[in-house]
Amino acid sequence: MKIHVLTLFPDLFQNFLQEGTVGIAVKQGIIAVETVNIRDFTHDRHRTADDYPYGGGAGMVMKPEPLFEAIQSVKADTPAPVVYLTPQGRLLNQKIMTEYSGMKSIILLCGHYKEIDQRIRDTLIDDELSIGDYVLSGGEIPAMVLIDGIARLQDGVLNDIDSALTDSHQQGILGCPHYTRPAEFMGKKVPSVLLSGNHQKIEAWRREKALELTRKNRPDLLKNSDE
Ligand code: 4FL
């Protein structure tokens, strides 16, 4: 899968793409990420990417021309959906992550300042995604969130596919508690059912604990599920 990232801060992605699960996906050639510096598509001496908003008010707006050229330069050889990361987008979830993980290529646009010129959104953007109800300084970390979530869903990246299937959110609810050795830590024992070897009982316990945690922390997830 090919992922193009349009950003004013391409260097932010360098370490991110070399470490951990994302690093494995890149090294194995399962995903390829190419960053494009939006500033390379400015033409003035100061390489200006933003300007004052029409109508006044605080903050700057990203100019349409460099964005237009940057997007077109990528689209010329890769027809792919353009996804703009913005607090105004649809809320990202595991279902959307899974849908994007199956695509051949995507183009991610990271915004800055207040927003980007609306005409770019009206004409060149196919989808708008938010990673949560808060504002950051830019769309780079949200783009990394999307890349990370997509990378680990690719075939051959996680050695244990079961592990991805039992994650929180993959089944629409939160995951269950996990324990590893030692069997007793600071006076607290691992629940005995997990040592019982009875796989049916273990599955039932995990399901009950997952539901309990979901009811406590994320009751909203149960409203639209069949639990
Ligand atoms: C994007 C926040 C996606 C949350 C500032 C610029 C953002 C964001 N999800 N904040 N982009």
Side-chain angles (χ1 to χ4, degrees):
M1 177 178 192
K2 179 81 189 228
I3 304 173
H4 301 264
V5 184
L6 280 57
T7 169
L8 287 169
F9 300 106
D11 289 350
L12 274 177
F13 290 84
Q14 296 320 312
N15 289 309
F16 165 70
L17 292 170
Q18 291 176 36
E19 301 288 339
T21 303
V22 172
I24 290 169
V26 170
K27 277 176 207 123
Q28 295 188 348
I30 294 166
I31 66 165
V33 180
E34 190 182 311
T35 55
V36 174
N37 192 339
I38 295 165
R39 214 175 285 285
D40 290 345
F41 295 87
T42 60
H43 302 292
D44 63 311
R45 212 157 50 85
H46 300 289
R47 313 232 296 159
T48 312
D50 63 335
D51 204 343
Y52 296 97
Y54 274 117
M60 302 292 271
V61 177
M62 282 175 78
K63 292 164 61 60
E65 305 95 321
L67 291 171
F68 181 87
E69 283 189 39
I71 294 170
Q72 294 301 58
S73 80
V74 176
K75 277 207 148 176
D77 32 47
T78 324
V82 182
V83 181
Y84 172 42
L85 287 313
T86 166
Q88 300 177 354
R90 314 190 275 150
L91 195 56
L92 181 61
N93 58 32
Q94 195 62 23
K95 179 164 177 275
I96 297 173
M97 205 73 98
T98 306
E99 283 163 12
Y100 274 109
S101 73
M103 295 194 175
K104 256 195 76 186
S105 50
I106 53 171
I107 302 169
L108 305 181
L109 174 59
C110 307
H112 261 269
Y113 316 113
K114 277 227 88 69
E115 272 291 342
I116 64 173
D117 188 283
Q118 182 64 32
R119 290 163 293 186
I120 294 296
R121 297 172 75 176
D122 292 341
T123 55
L124 292 179
I125 304 297
D126 299 296
D127 196 3
E128 300 188 327
L129 294 177
S130 163
I131 64 161
D133 294 336
Y134 38 76
V135 181
L136 304 169
S137 58
E140 282 74 16
I141 290 173
M144 290 180 205
V145 166
L146 194 56
I147 293 168
D148 185 295
I150 285 174
R152 59 190 295 288
L153 287 173
Q154 302 295 308
D155 284 344
V157 173
L158 294 187
N159 34 29
D160 186 358
I161 184 65
D162 244 22
S163 161
L165 291 177
T166 56
D167 285 337
S168 287
H169 298 298
Q170 197 68 36
Q171 311 287 346
I173 62 171
L174 302 184
C176 63
H178 294 84
Y179 296 87
T180 186
R181 289 183 289 184
E184 186 174 330
F185 176 67
M186 291 173 73
K188 284 180 149 294
K189 289 196 168 71
V190 172
S192 57
V193 60
L194 296 178
L195 309 174
S196 70
N198 182 333
H199 290 287
Q200 231 171 330
K201 269 177 88 175
I202 292 172
E203 270 326 295
W205 179 88
R206 286 181 166 160
R207 179 143 191 86
E208 188 43 47
K209 287 291 171 188
L211 282 169
E212 204 176 291
L213 187 63
T214 308
R215 275 192 293 269
K216 175 167 172 275
N217 285 351
R218 293 296 305 277
D220 57 300
L221 294 177
L222 293 171
K223 287 209 189 78
N224 305 316
S225 82
D226 357 296
E227 308 304 337

